[in-house]
Amino acid sequence: MEAQHYPVTGNPQDTIDLIKSYERFVPKQILGILGKTDIREVKLGDQIEKNLTILFSDIRDFTTLSESMNPKENFEFINSYLSQMETYITVYHGFIDKYIGDSIMAIFQTSADDAIDSSLLMLQQLSYYNEDRKNAGQRPINIGIGLNTGLCMFGTVGGYDRMEGTVISDAVNLSSRIESLTKKYGVQFLIGEGTLNNLKNHDKYSFRFIDRVIVKGKNQSQSIYEIFNNDTPEIKELKIKTLPLFEEALAYYHYKQIPSSLELLNIVLDINPDDNPARFYVERCKSYLKTGFHESPCDLNHLIEWNTEFEVGNPVIDRQHRQMFNESIKLLKSIGKDVSYDDLEKLITFLNDYIINHFRTEEEYLANQNYPFLDHQIWQHQNFIRSFENLKREIASDSLSKIYLMFRIQILVIDWILNHILKEDRHFGNYFKNKR
């Protein structure tokens, strides 16, 4: 494809204005990600792999809303809304990859924390925007935001006469799915475990587990979490107050102990009648009692077994992964059998030391091989160690039900190990294979 050059008028300001006009259609951040300084350098098929957080946002019931407006009003409304949201994406170093009607797809390459902070600002601005709409006699709007983080291929796709920058990865597909689930659970903001595991400052955010989901074409469950920092102070306080009850109720649900789940969910709703996810799970429980259908990606009463699908091609690391997985299953079963705390402590200590030793072995191997995503791998390991420390304290407290502790081991340890192997670790396995 022959390079397209900017027209030269002899006036430098005209060239500057033209470049700025191009940037409104091709964000300069795309050039930065691709390592380009000039749009004329971008070619079809340019690509780079990076750890990115993907944001999807969508206006709820937009079709119904748009039918009440004429075409001119539709465009004025969409542009008014989107221009405000763009401001709060760029302030946290994100950029909009594309507009899809009333939806936004944005990319953050700095940190998962920036993506969450941006989303919270968007929701805050939405409340101000709705106040203006109310004063103008217009109905308020609701939006859903979904985030997920992971290694992504970013590059140019299309044809020689029309191409665009885009992101391709499982993280993108899951982010879109997560956003669509906000409507199902009646919340504004959900994130995937990929984003949670990439956070630098967990204590800054109020979050709670919502569900386990499976993306089309995948077999391993992914956990999703609600971020509720932007709830009203009263609702936020009640969600924090009922957090242990709510998450324990969900643990009972996922282990098919429906009466216990229903009992706890009703207590949550007595305290916080506006808790939409709790109400959603009550309906799930009632449906199960009526039909026997359990809406869950897998039956936790039937444990997954290790298989060759989880191998990444390095014999030492594969052996350590398998040992880590088996010890985690042993810990899960021990909680279920009510073994003594002394025996549990021995298992936990062994698993803790084994995990740290494995991470050290893996990181040294990746460093020796000059793996370009070593920092990302180290950060994932550190976040897992932080989660495992929290889990050890929960087990030691002796105040939580065994079902809740088993569920915590499932989502924080077993799911994490399998998802980490199938994504991050498989990535370096394929990377070294292709490099050879």
Side-chain angles (χ1 to χ4, degrees):
M1 177 181 174
E2 188 176 325
Q4 300 295 311
H5 296 281
Y6 300 121
V8 178
T9 64
N11 184 344
Q13 187 58 46
D14 288 345
T15 302
I16 293 171
D17 291 343
L18 185 60
I19 291 172
K20 288 182 177 178
S21 294
Y22 269 103
E23 287 177 352
R24 296 170 70 186
F25 293 92
V26 183
K28 60 185 178 182
Q29 293 94 334
I30 289 180
L31 301 181
I33 290 179
L34 293 174
K36 311 291 185 181
T37 58
D38 190 322
I39 191 174
R40 291 171 290 188
E41 299 173 1
V42 178
K43 302 185 296 298
L44 184 64
D46 283 343
Q47 59 186 271
I48 190 170
E49 196 165 19
K50 292 182 75 78
N51 187 51
L52 303 171
T53 299
I54 311 299
L55 176 151
F56 276 89
S57 177
D58 182 60
I59 298 176
R60 293 282 164 258
D61 302 317
F62 175 70
T63 301
T64 302
L65 181 64
S66 67
E67 287 173 350
S68 66
M69 298 181 283
N70 62 43
K72 182 175 183 293
E73 290 170 336
N74 256 301
F75 273 94
E76 287 177 347
F77 162 69
I78 282 290
N79 289 328
S80 168
Y81 163 76
L82 293 177
S83 62
Q84 294 191 51
M85 295 300 106
E86 179 190 30
T87 300
Y88 296 99
I89 289 170
T90 56
V91 75
Y92 276 103
H93 317 295
F95 69 93
I96 293 174
D97 179 68
K98 56 177 64 73
Y99 296 112
I100 312 165
D102 62 301
S103 302
I104 295 171
M105 176 182 171
I107 297 171
F108 295 81
Q109 58 176 322
T110 46
S111 70
D113 301 64
D114 278 347
I116 291 183
D117 289 337
S118 173
S119 302
L120 293 173
L121 267 182
M122 289 170 66
L123 291 172
Q124 185 180 76
Q125 179 59 25
L126 178 69
S127 64
Y128 300 144
Y129 181 69
N130 276 334
E131 194 64 35
D132 290 340
R133 287 181 62 82
K134 181 181 176 182
N135 292 335
Q138 299 169 326
R139 52 186 279 199
I141 62 171
N142 293 311
I143 68 172
I145 297 176
L147 298 181
N148 197 44
T149 306
L151 292 171
C152 305
M153 287 300 301
F154 183 90
T156 54
V157 298
Y160 286 105
D161 293 325
R162 174 70 173 91
M163 63 181 180
E164 66 176 14
T166 194
V167 186
I168 300 172
S169 81
D170 291 338
V172 178
N173 299 332
L174 183 54
S175 178
S176 177
R177 170 85 188 282
I178 290 170
E179 186 280 319
S180 70
L181 290 173
T182 58
K183 187 173 184 179
K184 179 177 181 178
Y185 299 105
V187 298
Q188 289 186 309
F189 189 9
L190 293 172
I191 67 171
E193 65 180 51
T195 297
L196 186 71
N197 292 334
N198 274 273
L199 288 178
K200 291 181 170 61
N201 188 357
H202 287 76
D203 296 336
K204 185 178 179 181
Y205 308 110
S206 299
F207 59 88
R208 59 180 182 171
F209 171 85
I210 290 291
D211 209 348
R212 300 169 82 231
V213 298
I214 290 183
V215 182
K216 186 177 180 181
K218 300 295 177 182
N219 296 319
Q220 179 56 30
S221 299
Q222 311 276 328
S223 293
I224 58 175
Y225 298 82
E226 178 193 8
I227 301 285
F228 55 92
N229 289 61
N230 264 74
D231 283 4
T232 64
E234 295 78 18
I235 296 296
K236 181 180 175 182
E237 182 181 348
L238 291 176
K239 284 185 177 179
I240 292 172
K241 180 180 179 180
T242 58
L243 181 59
L245 284 172
F246 176 80
E247 291 195 336
E248 185 173 6
L250 269 55
Y252 279 116
Y253 175 83
H254 283 277
Y255 272 103
K256 292 186 178 180
Q257 298 197 16
I258 305 303
S260 296
S261 177
L262 197 52
E263 180 182 353
L264 292 176
L265 288 166
N266 284 325
I267 295 173
V268 170
L269 286 173
D270 285 342
I271 298 171
N272 182 14
D274 294 321
D275 192 327
N276 289 331
R279 195 169 300 282
F280 170 82
Y281 268 96
V282 165
E283 294 306 312
R284 265 190 174 181
C285 289
K286 290 179 178 178
S287 175
Y288 177 85
L289 293 174
K290 186 181 296 185
T291 67
F293 174 71
H294 189 255
E295 189 175 342
S296 179
C298 61
D299 188 348
L300 294 183
N301 292 300
H302 294 87
L303 293 175
I304 191 169
E305 295 182 353
W306 183 268
N307 62 67
T308 55
E309 179 190 1
F310 307 134
E311 294 178 356
V312 300
N314 180 295
V316 173
I317 289 176
D318 284 336
R319 186 172 63 252
Q320 291 182 351
H321 281 164
R322 182 169 188 165
Q323 181 73 13
M324 237 168 75
F325 174 82
N326 288 337
E327 291 298 324
S328 301
I329 294 292
K330 189 184 298 184
L331 176 61
L332 179 70
K333 290 180 176 178
S334 297
I335 293 284
K337 293 176 180 176
D338 291 323
V339 303
S340 69
Y341 181 71
D342 287 343
D343 289 336
L344 275 180
E345 193 170 31
K346 291 175 185 176
L347 272 173
I348 293 168
T349 301
F350 178 83
L351 181 57
N352 183 78
D353 293 344
Y354 196 90
I355 287 167
I356 292 172
N357 179 64
H358 163 67
F359 287 166
R360 186 182 300 116
T361 300
E362 190 173 271
E363 289 166 14
E364 288 175 356
Y365 168 67
L366 298 181
N368 291 335
Q369 297 292 322
N370 297 314
Y371 181 58
F373 300 102
L374 174 60
D375 288 345
H376 171 66
Q377 197 81 351
I378 291 173
W379 189 252
Q380 292 274 307
H381 293 168
Q382 290 175 345
N383 263 333
F384 177 81
I385 290 170
R386 177 198 56 79
S387 294
F388 196 72
E389 288 295 325
N390 289 336
L391 180 62
K392 287 194 294 184
R393 285 192 288 271
E394 289 175 345
I395 294 173
S397 71
D398 197 32
S399 60
L400 301 170
S401 72
K402 71 176 183 180
I403 289 295
Y404 177 74
L405 291 176
M406 289 169 65
F407 191 65
R408 295 284 282 172
I409 293 168
Q410 179 68 53
I411 63 173
L412 295 181
V413 181
I414 297 172
D415 282 354
W416 185 93
I417 290 172
L418 294 181
N419 282 322
H420 186 73
I421 290 171
L422 291 171
K423 289 184 287 185
E424 277 77 11
D425 291 346
R426 177 173 287 176
H427 180 275
F428 74 67
N430 291 334
Y431 178 86
F432 294 137
K433 180 181 177 181
N434 293 333
K435 192 175 179 182
R436 286 193 295 269

